[in-house]
Amino acid sequence: ELKVEQNPLFLSMQEGKNYTIYCNYSTTSDRLYWYRQDPGKSLESLFVLLSNGAVKQEGRLMASLDTKARLSTLHITAAVHDLSATYFCAVSQIQGAQKLVFGQGTRLTINP
Amino acid sequence: EAQVTQNPRYLITVTGKKLTVTCSQNMNHEYMSWYRQDPGLGLRQIYYSMNVEVTDKGDVPEGYKVSRKEKRNFPLILESPSPNQTSLYFCATKVGDLMNTEAFFGQGTRLTVV
């Protein structure tokens, strides 16, 4: 059974600092997604990572995928308050039911 | 504008009273799915549909039903809601091939069963 774990689950950081959110998954997959959710809102797609070694960047966020280690990272550079949100990674299950399996989410708070 | 529309957005109901949460998409996507979101658990799949008249169970299907009579709509039915179905529900749609594109999510439906 595919399991996805994120850490940390809660992260409070200062503006201007760098930090990384980690996403580990338990079985083979080479399709990984990052989503952002603001309080009371829906999920917004950030990145789609489709192959080993994939790296994508958008503004202060950069996501990477290592399928051999079954690990994806979401790196935040010089954080700003607007990036405060909950971030989810999700992995496509290849065998069996067609679904995305989500991590628990990382609630990121960026303080001025 | 590409949209996934859920209704209602908020619902408080009593145990045992049947309800339906609707989901409609205008993107002509084959794949649609329902998730529930609970604190500390992320999103868990309830049911999904690969196309019209094709539905299958996800991870937490107990207490729920779905139907897919037309491509754009995928309603979630709670025949006899119970308090443990209090949750935030999301409908998601995707182009048919699950692998290469992201899913688009509706605005969410916050359901409280008392």
Side-chain angles (χ1 to χ4, degrees), chain A residues 75-104:
Chain A
H75 187 72
I76 303 143
T77 302
V80 293
H81 179 69
D82 285 353
L83 291 178
S84 295
T86 299
Y87 293 86
F88 290 94
C89 64
V91 178
S92 285
Q93 177 165 288
I94 295 175
Q95 304 293 337
Q98 297 289 315
K99 63 181 177 183
L100 293 175
V101 179
F102 283 81
Q104 312 95 311

PDB file of all heavy atoms in Angstrom, chain A residues 75-104:
ATOM      1  N   HIS A  75      11.673  23.377  -1.466  1.00  0.00           N
ATOM      2  CA  HIS A  75      12.591  24.313  -0.823  1.00  0.00           C
ATOM      3  C   HIS A  75      12.051  25.730  -0.953  1.00  0.00           C
ATOM      4  O   HIS A  75      11.628  26.148  -2.032  1.00  0.00           O
ATOM      5  CB  HIS A  75      13.973  24.214  -1.460  1.00  0.00           C
ATOM      6  CG  HIS A  75      15.005  25.012  -0.742  1.00  0.00           C
ATOM      7  ND1 HIS A  75      15.512  24.655   0.493  1.00  0.00           N
ATOM      8  CD2 HIS A  75      15.596  26.189  -1.074  1.00  0.00           C
ATOM      9  CE1 HIS A  75      16.380  25.560   0.885  1.00  0.00           C
ATOM     10  NE2 HIS A  75      16.451  26.487  -0.048  1.00  0.00           N
ATOM     11  N   ILE A  76      12.091  26.418   0.169  1.00  0.00           N
ATOM     12  CA  ILE A  76      11.625  27.804   0.220  1.00  0.00           C
ATOM     13  C   ILE A  76      12.840  28.694   0.420  1.00  0.00           C
ATOM     14  O   ILE A  76      13.608  28.511   1.371  1.00  0.00           O
ATOM     15  CB  ILE A  76      10.639  28.000   1.381  1.00  0.00           C
ATOM     16  CG1 ILE A  76       9.465  27.035   1.233  1.00  0.00           C
ATOM     17  CG2 ILE A  76      10.141  29.445   1.444  1.00  0.00           C
ATOM     18  CD1 ILE A  76       8.952  26.493   2.525  1.00  0.00           C
ATOM     19  N   THR A  77      13.009  29.638  -0.469  1.00  0.00           N
ATOM     20  CA  THR A  77      14.156  30.550  -0.399  1.00  0.00           C
ATOM     21  C   THR A  77      13.689  31.932   0.016  1.00  0.00           C
ATOM     22  O   THR A  77      12.757  32.480  -0.562  1.00  0.00           O
ATOM     23  CB  THR A  77      14.851  30.631  -1.764  1.00  0.00           C
ATOM     24  OG1 THR A  77      15.261  29.323  -2.156  1.00  0.00           O
ATOM     25  CG2 THR A  77      16.058  31.548  -1.705  1.00  0.00           C
ATOM     26  N   ALA A  78      14.353  32.492   1.014  1.00  0.00           N
ATOM     27  CA  ALA A  78      14.073  33.864   1.477  1.00  0.00           C
ATOM     28  C   ALA A  78      12.569  34.065   1.662  1.00  0.00           C
ATOM     29  O   ALA A  78      11.937  34.876   1.003  1.00  0.00           O
ATOM     30  CB  ALA A  78      14.655  34.880   0.492  1.00  0.00           C
ATOM     31  N   ALA A  79      12.019  33.312   2.586  1.00  0.00           N
ATOM     32  CA  ALA A  79      10.565  33.251   2.774  1.00  0.00           C
ATOM     33  C   ALA A  79       9.949  34.640   2.997  1.00  0.00           C
ATOM     34  O   ALA A  79      10.545  35.511   3.633  1.00  0.00           O
ATOM     35  CB  ALA A  79      10.250  32.350   3.961  1.00  0.00           C
ATOM     36  N   VAL A  80       8.741  34.778   2.450  1.00  0.00           N
ATOM     37  CA  VAL A  80       7.938  35.982   2.683  1.00  0.00           C
ATOM     38  C   VAL A  80       6.589  35.555   3.250  1.00  0.00           C
ATOM     39  O   VAL A  80       6.144  34.412   3.053  1.00  0.00           O
ATOM     40  CB  VAL A  80       7.744  36.805   1.393  1.00  0.00           C
ATOM     41  CG1 VAL A  80       9.063  37.394   0.927  1.00  0.00           C
ATOM     42  CG2 VAL A  80       7.118  35.971   0.296  1.00  0.00           C
ATOM     43  N   HIS A  81       5.919  36.485   3.901  1.00  0.00           N
ATOM     44  CA  HIS A  81       4.674  36.174   4.611  1.00  0.00           C
ATOM     45  C   HIS A  81       3.625  35.540   3.695  1.00  0.00           C
ATOM     46  O   HIS A  81       2.866  34.661   4.113  1.00  0.00           O
ATOM     47  CB  HIS A  81       4.122  37.442   5.254  1.00  0.00           C
ATOM     48  CG  HIS A  81       2.833  37.220   5.974  1.00  0.00           C
ATOM     49  ND1 HIS A  81       2.755  36.475   7.146  1.00  0.00           N
ATOM     50  CD2 HIS A  81       1.566  37.597   5.688  1.00  0.00           C
ATOM     51  CE1 HIS A  81       1.498  36.438   7.554  1.00  0.00           C
ATOM     52  NE2 HIS A  81       0.748  37.106   6.695  1.00  0.00           N
ATOM     53  N   ASP A  82       3.595  35.961   2.427  1.00  0.00           N
ATOM     54  CA  ASP A  82       2.589  35.455   1.486  1.00  0.00           C
ATOM     55  C   ASP A  82       2.679  33.962   1.236  1.00  0.00           C
ATOM     56  O   ASP A  82       1.744  33.357   0.697  1.00  0.00           O
ATOM     57  CB  ASP A  82       2.708  36.181   0.139  1.00  0.00           C
ATOM     58  CG  ASP A  82       2.156  37.590   0.205  1.00  0.00           C
ATOM     59  OD1 ASP A  82       1.565  37.937   1.247  1.00  0.00           O
ATOM     60  OD2 ASP A  82       2.326  38.342  -0.768  1.00  0.00           O
ATOM     61  N   LEU A  83       3.794  33.370   1.590  1.00  0.00           N
ATOM     62  CA  LEU A  83       3.943  31.926   1.402  1.00  0.00           C
ATOM     63  C   LEU A  83       3.344  31.119   2.557  1.00  0.00           C
ATOM     64  O   LEU A  83       3.352  29.883   2.515  1.00  0.00           O
ATOM     65  CB  LEU A  83       5.426  31.565   1.239  1.00  0.00           C
ATOM     66  CG  LEU A  83       6.069  32.051  -0.055  1.00  0.00           C
ATOM     67  CD1 LEU A  83       7.541  31.671  -0.088  1.00  0.00           C
ATOM     68  CD2 LEU A  83       5.350  31.488  -1.272  1.00  0.00           C
ATOM     69  N   SER A  84       2.843  31.779   3.562  1.00  0.00           N
ATOM     70  CA  SER A  84       2.170  31.060   4.659  1.00  0.00           C
ATOM     71  C   SER A  84       0.965  30.321   4.104  1.00  0.00           C
ATOM     72  O   SER A  84       0.086  30.920   3.475  1.00  0.00           O
ATOM     73  CB  SER A  84       1.715  32.051   5.738  1.00  0.00           C
ATOM     74  OG  SER A  84       2.807  32.679   6.353  1.00  0.00           O
ATOM     75  N   ALA A  85       0.906  29.011   4.330  1.00  0.00           N
ATOM     76  CA  ALA A  85      -0.162  28.156   3.800  1.00  0.00           C
ATOM     77  C   ALA A  85       0.125  26.734   4.275  1.00  0.00           C
ATOM     78  O   ALA A  85       1.125  26.485   4.956  1.00  0.00           O
ATOM     79  CB  ALA A  85      -0.192  28.201   2.273  1.00  0.00           C
ATOM     80  N   THR A  86      -0.735  25.809   3.880  1.00  0.00           N
ATOM     81  CA  THR A  86      -0.455  24.391   4.088  1.00  0.00           C
ATOM     82  C   THR A  86      -0.048  23.788   2.755  1.00  0.00           C
ATOM     83  O   THR A  86      -0.722  24.017   1.740  1.00  0.00           O
ATOM     84  CB  THR A  86      -1.672  23.649   4.666  1.00  0.00           C
ATOM     85  OG1 THR A  86      -2.001  24.220   5.938  1.00  0.00           O
ATOM     86  CG2 THR A  86      -1.361  22.165   4.850  1.00  0.00           C
ATOM     87  N   TYR A  87       1.030  23.050   2.753  1.00  0.00           N
ATOM     88  CA  TYR A  87       1.566  22.458   1.541  1.00  0.00           C
ATOM     89  C   TYR A  87       1.410  20.934   1.603  1.00  0.00           C
ATOM     90  O   TYR A  87       1.741  20.303   2.600  1.00  0.00           O
ATOM     91  CB  TYR A  87       3.033  22.830   1.369  1.00  0.00           C
ATOM     92  CG  TYR A  87       3.209  24.302   1.097  1.00  0.00           C
ATOM     93  CD1 TYR A  87       3.293  25.218   2.149  1.00  0.00           C
ATOM     94  CD2 TYR A  87       3.259  24.787  -0.197  1.00  0.00           C
ATOM     95  CE1 TYR A  87       3.418  26.573   1.915  1.00  0.00           C
ATOM     96  CE2 TYR A  87       3.398  26.149  -0.450  1.00  0.00           C
ATOM     97  CZ  TYR A  87       3.467  27.023   0.604  1.00  0.00           C
ATOM     98  OH  TYR A  87       3.595  28.372   0.361  1.00  0.00           O
ATOM     99  N   PHE A  88       0.880  20.391   0.518  1.00  0.00           N
ATOM    100  CA  PHE A  88       0.688  18.950   0.410  1.00  0.00           C
ATOM    101  C   PHE A  88       1.508  18.400  -0.740  1.00  0.00           C
ATOM    102  O   PHE A  88       1.563  19.005  -1.815  1.00  0.00           O
ATOM    103  CB  PHE A  88      -0.779  18.608   0.121  1.00  0.00           C
ATOM    104  CG  PHE A  88      -1.716  18.858   1.266  1.00  0.00           C
ATOM    105  CD1 PHE A  88      -2.401  20.061   1.362  1.00  0.00           C
ATOM    106  CD2 PHE A  88      -1.933  17.892   2.229  1.00  0.00           C
ATOM    107  CE1 PHE A  88      -3.279  20.303   2.406  1.00  0.00           C
ATOM    108  CE2 PHE A  88      -2.807  18.124   3.277  1.00  0.00           C
ATOM    109  CZ  PHE A  88      -3.479  19.326   3.361  1.00  0.00           C
ATOM    110  N   CYS A  89       2.114  17.241  -0.520  1.00  0.00           N
ATOM    111  CA  CYS A  89       2.622  16.479  -1.646  1.00  0.00           C
ATOM    112  C   CYS A  89       1.656  15.320  -1.893  1.00  0.00           C
ATOM    113  O   CYS A  89       0.937  14.892  -0.984  1.00  0.00           O
ATOM    114  CB  CYS A  89       4.035  15.968  -1.404  1.00  0.00           C
ATOM    115  SG  CYS A  89       4.201  14.786  -0.057  1.00  0.00           S
ATOM    116  N   ALA A  90       1.632  14.837  -3.110  1.00  0.00           N
ATOM    117  CA  ALA A  90       0.762  13.718  -3.475  1.00  0.00           C
ATOM    118  C   ALA A  90       1.479  12.892  -4.524  1.00  0.00           C
ATOM    119  O   ALA A  90       2.205  13.425  -5.366  1.00  0.00           O
ATOM    120  CB  ALA A  90      -0.579  14.214  -4.003  1.00  0.00           C
ATOM    121  N   VAL A  91       1.259  11.599  -4.465  1.00  0.00           N
ATOM    122  CA  VAL A  91       1.936  10.660  -5.355  1.00  0.00           C
ATOM    123  C   VAL A  91       0.882   9.860  -6.105  1.00  0.00           C
ATOM    124  O   VAL A  91      -0.108   9.429  -5.515  1.00  0.00           O
ATOM    125  CB  VAL A  91       2.848   9.716  -4.547  1.00  0.00           C
ATOM    126  CG1 VAL A  91       3.521   8.706  -5.461  1.00  0.00           C
ATOM    127  CG2 VAL A  91       3.892  10.513  -3.785  1.00  0.00           C
ATOM    128  N   SER A  92       1.096   9.658  -7.385  1.00  0.00           N
ATOM    129  CA  SER A  92       0.196   8.815  -8.171  1.00  0.00           C
ATOM    130  C   SER A  92       0.443   7.359  -7.848  1.00  0.00           C
ATOM    131  O   SER A  92       1.576   6.899  -7.888  1.00  0.00           O
ATOM    132  CB  SER A  92       0.446   9.003  -9.667  1.00  0.00           C
ATOM    133  OG  SER A  92      -0.061  10.200 -10.134  1.00  0.00           O
ATOM    134  N   GLN A  93      -0.618   6.654  -7.550  1.00  0.00           N
ATOM    135  CA  GLN A  93      -0.509   5.207  -7.388  1.00  0.00           C
ATOM    136  C   GLN A  93      -0.553   4.583  -8.773  1.00  0.00           C
ATOM    137  O   GLN A  93      -1.464   4.857  -9.563  1.00  0.00           O
ATOM    138  CB  GLN A  93      -1.658   4.677  -6.543  1.00  0.00           C
ATOM    139  CG  GLN A  93      -1.629   3.172  -6.394  1.00  0.00           C
ATOM    140  CD  GLN A  93      -2.524   2.702  -5.275  1.00  0.00           C
ATOM    141  OE1 GLN A  93      -2.218   2.888  -4.104  1.00  0.00           O
ATOM    142  NE2 GLN A  93      -3.644   2.097  -5.617  1.00  0.00           N
ATOM    143  N   ILE A  94       0.430   3.763  -9.082  1.00  0.00           N
ATOM    144  CA  ILE A  94       0.519   3.181 -10.414  1.00  0.00           C
ATOM    145  C   ILE A  94      -0.318   1.920 -10.518  1.00  0.00           C
ATOM    146  O   ILE A  94      -1.007   1.677 -11.501  1.00  0.00           O
ATOM    147  CB  ILE A  94       1.997   2.875 -10.753  1.00  0.00           C
ATOM    148  CG1 ILE A  94       2.795   4.174 -10.849  1.00  0.00           C
ATOM    149  CG2 ILE A  94       2.099   2.086 -12.045  1.00  0.00           C
ATOM    150  CD1 ILE A  94       4.269   3.973 -11.069  1.00  0.00           C
ATOM    151  N   GLN A  95      -0.278   1.075  -9.505  1.00  0.00           N
ATOM    152  CA  GLN A  95      -0.985  -0.200  -9.542  1.00  0.00           C
ATOM    153  C   GLN A  95      -2.339  -0.049  -8.867  1.00  0.00           C
ATOM    154  O   GLN A  95      -2.478   0.642  -7.874  1.00  0.00           O
ATOM    155  CB  GLN A  95      -0.185  -1.278  -8.804  1.00  0.00           C
ATOM    156  CG  GLN A  95       1.218  -1.475  -9.306  1.00  0.00           C
ATOM    157  CD  GLN A  95       1.260  -2.047 -10.704  1.00  0.00           C
ATOM    158  OE1 GLN A  95       0.305  -2.680 -11.152  1.00  0.00           O
ATOM    159  NE2 GLN A  95       2.346  -1.816 -11.400  1.00  0.00           N
ATOM    160  N   GLY A  96      -3.339  -0.745  -9.423  1.00  0.00           N
ATOM    161  CA  GLY A  96      -4.626  -0.758  -8.744  1.00  0.00           C
ATOM    162  C   GLY A  96      -5.400   0.524  -8.963  1.00  0.00           C
ATOM    163  O   GLY A  96      -5.428   1.077 -10.060  1.00  0.00           O
ATOM    164  N   ALA A  97      -6.029   0.994  -7.912  1.00  0.00           N
ATOM    165  CA  ALA A  97      -6.934   2.134  -8.025  1.00  0.00           C
ATOM    166  C   ALA A  97      -6.192   3.374  -8.531  1.00  0.00           C
ATOM    167  O   ALA A  97      -5.079   3.649  -8.128  1.00  0.00           O
ATOM    168  CB  ALA A  97      -7.568   2.441  -6.676  1.00  0.00           C
ATOM    169  N   GLN A  98      -6.849   4.087  -9.412  1.00  0.00           N
ATOM    170  CA  GLN A  98      -6.274   5.311  -9.943  1.00  0.00           C
ATOM    171  C   GLN A  98      -6.491   6.420  -8.927  1.00  0.00           C
ATOM    172  O   GLN A  98      -7.593   6.934  -8.774  1.00  0.00           O
ATOM    173  CB  GLN A  98      -6.976   5.673 -11.254  1.00  0.00           C
ATOM    174  CG  GLN A  98      -6.776   4.640 -12.346  1.00  0.00           C
ATOM    175  CD  GLN A  98      -5.351   4.647 -12.857  1.00  0.00           C
ATOM    176  OE1 GLN A  98      -4.786   5.704 -13.092  1.00  0.00           O
ATOM    177  NE2 GLN A  98      -4.763   3.477 -13.001  1.00  0.00           N
ATOM    178  N   LYS A  99      -5.457   6.782  -8.233  1.00  0.00           N
ATOM    179  CA  LYS A  99      -5.657   7.822  -7.238  1.00  0.00           C
ATOM    180  C   LYS A  99      -4.359   8.529  -6.931  1.00  0.00           C
ATOM    181  O   LYS A  99      -3.262   8.048  -7.213  1.00  0.00           O
ATOM    182  CB  LYS A  99      -6.206   7.232  -5.937  1.00  0.00           C
ATOM    183  CG  LYS A  99      -5.281   6.248  -5.248  1.00  0.00           C
ATOM    184  CD  LYS A  99      -5.933   5.717  -3.986  1.00  0.00           C
ATOM    185  CE  LYS A  99      -5.055   4.682  -3.315  1.00  0.00           C
ATOM    186  NZ  LYS A  99      -5.708   4.101  -2.124  1.00  0.00           N
ATOM    187  N   LEU A 100      -4.532   9.678  -6.344  1.00  0.00           N
ATOM    188  CA  LEU A 100      -3.438  10.390  -5.725  1.00  0.00           C
ATOM    189  C   LEU A 100      -3.465  10.084  -4.239  1.00  0.00           C
ATOM    190  O   LEU A 100      -4.513  10.173  -3.608  1.00  0.00           O
ATOM    191  CB  LEU A 100      -3.595  11.896  -5.917  1.00  0.00           C
ATOM    192  CG  LEU A 100      -3.465  12.454  -7.338  1.00  0.00           C
ATOM    193  CD1 LEU A 100      -3.766  13.938  -7.333  1.00  0.00           C
ATOM    194  CD2 LEU A 100      -2.081  12.191  -7.884  1.00  0.00           C
ATOM    195  N   VAL A 101      -2.321   9.749  -3.702  1.00  0.00           N
ATOM    196  CA  VAL A 101      -2.203   9.529  -2.263  1.00  0.00           C
ATOM    197  C   VAL A 101      -1.479  10.743  -1.691  1.00  0.00           C
ATOM    198  O   VAL A 101      -0.374  11.078  -2.128  1.00  0.00           O
ATOM    199  CB  VAL A 101      -1.449   8.235  -1.944  1.00  0.00           C
ATOM    200  CG1 VAL A 101      -1.319   8.056  -0.434  1.00  0.00           C
ATOM    201  CG2 VAL A 101      -2.157   7.043  -2.560  1.00  0.00           C
ATOM    202  N   PHE A 102      -2.112  11.387  -0.723  1.00  0.00           N
ATOM    203  CA  PHE A 102      -1.595  12.634  -0.189  1.00  0.00           C
ATOM    204  C   PHE A 102      -0.808  12.422   1.099  1.00  0.00           C
ATOM    205  O   PHE A 102      -1.114  11.515   1.893  1.00  0.00           O
ATOM    206  CB  PHE A 102      -2.747  13.594   0.114  1.00  0.00           C
ATOM    207  CG  PHE A 102      -3.319  14.263  -1.091  1.00  0.00           C
ATOM    208  CD1 PHE A 102      -4.233  13.604  -1.904  1.00  0.00           C
ATOM    209  CD2 PHE A 102      -2.928  15.539  -1.441  1.00  0.00           C
ATOM    210  CE1 PHE A 102      -4.754  14.212  -3.034  1.00  0.00           C
ATOM    211  CE2 PHE A 102      -3.442  16.166  -2.564  1.00  0.00           C
ATOM    212  CZ  PHE A 102      -4.357  15.506  -3.363  1.00  0.00           C
ATOM    213  N   GLY A 103       0.165  13.277   1.302  1.00  0.00           N
ATOM    214  CA  GLY A 103       0.790  13.394   2.612  1.00  0.00           C
ATOM    215  C   GLY A 103      -0.142  14.133   3.557  1.00  0.00           C
ATOM    216  O   GLY A 103      -1.203  14.629   3.173  1.00  0.00           O
ATOM    217  N   GLN A 104       0.278  14.228   4.821  1.00  0.00           N
ATOM    218  CA  GLN A 104      -0.586  14.829   5.851  1.00  0.00           C
ATOM    219  C   GLN A 104      -0.647  16.355   5.722  1.00  0.00           C
ATOM    220  O   GLN A 104      -1.522  16.990   6.316  1.00  0.00           O
ATOM    221  CB  GLN A 104      -0.073  14.487   7.256  1.00  0.00           C
ATOM    222  CG  GLN A 104       0.256  13.029   7.477  1.00  0.00           C
ATOM    223  CD  GLN A 104       1.734  12.758   7.250  1.00  0.00           C
ATOM    224  OE1 GLN A 104       2.312  13.154   6.242  1.00  0.00           O
ATOM    225  NE2 GLN A 104       2.329  12.063   8.198  1.00  0.00           N
TER     226      GLN A 104
END
